[in-house]
Amino acid sequence: MRIAVPNKGRLHEPTIELLERAGLHLRDGADRKLYADTVDPDVTVLFARAADIPEYVADGAADVGITGKDQIAEAAPGNVSDLLDLGFGECRLVLAAPEDGEITEPGDVEGGKVATEFPTITRNYLDDAGIDAKVVEVTGATELTPHAGMADAIVDITSTGTTLAVNRLAIVDEVLQSSVRLFARDDVVDVQSGAEETVATSEKVEQIRTAMESVLDAEGKRYLMMNVPRGQLEDVREQIPGLGGPTVMDVADREEPESNEEDMLAVHVVVDERDVFETITNLKAAGASGILVTEIERLVE
């Protein structure tokens, strides 16, 4: 199985980090290479331009891809399935126009020209809105085209809106919300009866999706372990804002308590990182001791 990932740019490092955290460690590194083997002998990583990855997957050069939703929508391969939002590389494609101009709503570009590096997305957006406007494809400096008389408005990527403001452009409408996605070709995702190779590939895709999802689910979570006297277990339970109920076990290899000692239990629970400080204080007050807090690398629910 081949996974196509961005070879450079702002999406490269977060993607490689996610692969590593998910357990798909690269054997040969990720610098200046076209591909790299992983610790899984059945998985190879292929490096490509972020914009080319949808075509790599659609055409069969790769089975699975990682790139922005905007790139997938622009390529519009038609035979790929979105498997997982990876939660980074967030941005928006917006319709923008000169802030002191006459275009204040989408319909105002009727009969005009819209410059963009995303002609497919822009054309679909205009058609869906019933707007008749010419799409002018450019390869850079899109925000300058209205001031140069090349276009009346633009469709461009923005994260904070700062670049648009600097170039005296105002957002008129949101065209698309984007983030980095894990996606695969449809025939790889679908299990077809009687096709053993397809079944095996589909299982591998699910392994990859589950591994990445477990990393994302673990973000912002902490694992708490503590000792609790049996008689105070319910008091401790009330102080735990965890994912469901805690795991409660007898403390192993502990000598029988003295007659004046209370039997101890081991309690484990997952909590949000933001709740750890207050939770520890409340747990101690409720009778917990030996509280240990650790990070979680992966969480499979």
Side-chain angles (χ1 to χ4, degrees):
M1 163 148 312
R2 288 163 294 196
I3 306 176
V5 306
N7 61 355
K8 59 182 179 180
R10 66 188 181 93
L11 304 185
H12 174 74
E13 289 297 334
T15 299
I16 298 303
E17 180 183 354
L18 179 58
L19 289 173
E20 293 284 343
R21 292 173 62 193
L24 283 172
H25 306 292
L26 305 187
R27 289 191 177 278
D28 304 317
D31 296 329
R32 296 182 296 278
K33 294 180 180 293
L34 296 177
Y35 66 90
D37 293 328
T38 70
V39 293
D40 186 328
D42 296 325
V43 178
T44 300
V45 172
L46 176 67
F47 299 103
R49 289 197 322 132
D52 293 337
I53 290 175
E55 290 298 334
Y56 273 60
V57 174
D59 294 343
D63 304 294
V64 177
I66 297 176
T67 194
K69 180 180 178 180
D70 56 317
Q71 302 293 354
I72 300 170
E74 180 59 29
N79 62 336
V80 301
S81 296
D82 191 331
L83 301 180
L84 185 64
D85 184 345
L86 301 181
F88 64 92
E90 294 179 341
C91 63
R92 296 184 297 159
L93 262 70
V94 298
L95 175 69
E99 57 187 16
D100 56 354
E102 299 179 353
I103 298 176
T104 59
E105 57 184 43
D108 293 336
V109 301
E110 177 76 25
K113 293 184 290 186
V114 181
T116 184
E117 294 185 63
F118 299 88
T120 300
I121 294 175
T122 302
R123 182 75 273 161
N124 290 339
Y125 165 78
L126 294 172
D127 289 346
D128 290 344
I131 298 170
D132 183 14
K134 181 180 180 180
V135 176
V136 179
E137 184 175 359
V138 296
T139 57
T142 308
E143 65 275 3
L144 300 180
T145 56
H147 304 299
M150 296 174 59
D152 302 291
I154 68 171
V155 168
D156 203 8
I157 284 181
T158 184
S159 295
T160 63
T162 302
T163 301
L164 294 175
V166 167
N167 287 279
R168 306 190 309 281
L169 296 172
I171 295 175
V172 177
D173 194 20
E174 183 176 281
V175 176
L176 176 74
Q177 287 190 344
S178 180
S179 60
V180 174
R181 306 301 178 101
L182 174 73
F183 68 102
R185 201 170 54 256
D186 290 343
D187 65 343
V188 174
V189 175
D190 293 336
V191 176
Q192 301 175 7
S193 60
E196 293 184 3
E197 183 176 350
T198 303
V199 172
T201 301
S202 297
E203 291 173 353
K204 183 60 65 175
V205 169
E206 180 59 21
Q207 289 175 14
I208 293 169
R209 189 199 67 78
T210 299
M212 291 188 175
E213 186 175 45
S214 70
V215 172
L216 301 178
D217 288 343
E219 291 182 349
K221 301 289 192 301
R222 292 294 183 266
Y223 193 64
L224 271 61
M225 295 172 279
M226 68 204 79
N227 293 326
V228 177
R230 188 178 296 275
Q232 293 171 270
L233 178 59
E234 290 307 314
D235 293 337
V236 167
R237 282 182 188 270
E238 293 178 0
Q239 304 303 324
I240 297 176
L243 300 177
T247 299
V248 180
M249 301 166 286
D250 290 324
V251 176
D253 299 327
R254 186 175 185 270
E255 295 181 359
E256 288 294 325
E258 299 291 340
S259 58
N260 62 342
E261 289 183 349
E262 189 169 1
D263 190 18
M264 298 292 286
L265 300 171
V267 177
H268 296 191
V269 68
V270 175
V271 303
D272 288 330
E273 181 182 15
R274 63 177 180 270
D275 295 330
V276 168
F277 181 81
E278 182 179 1
T279 298
I280 289 178
T281 301
N282 294 338
L283 290 173
K284 285 177 64 64
S289 61
I291 303 172
L292 177 65
V293 183
T294 65
E295 293 185 354
I296 304 174
E297 293 186 1
R298 293 172 58 178
L299 178 62
V300 181
E301 298 190 58

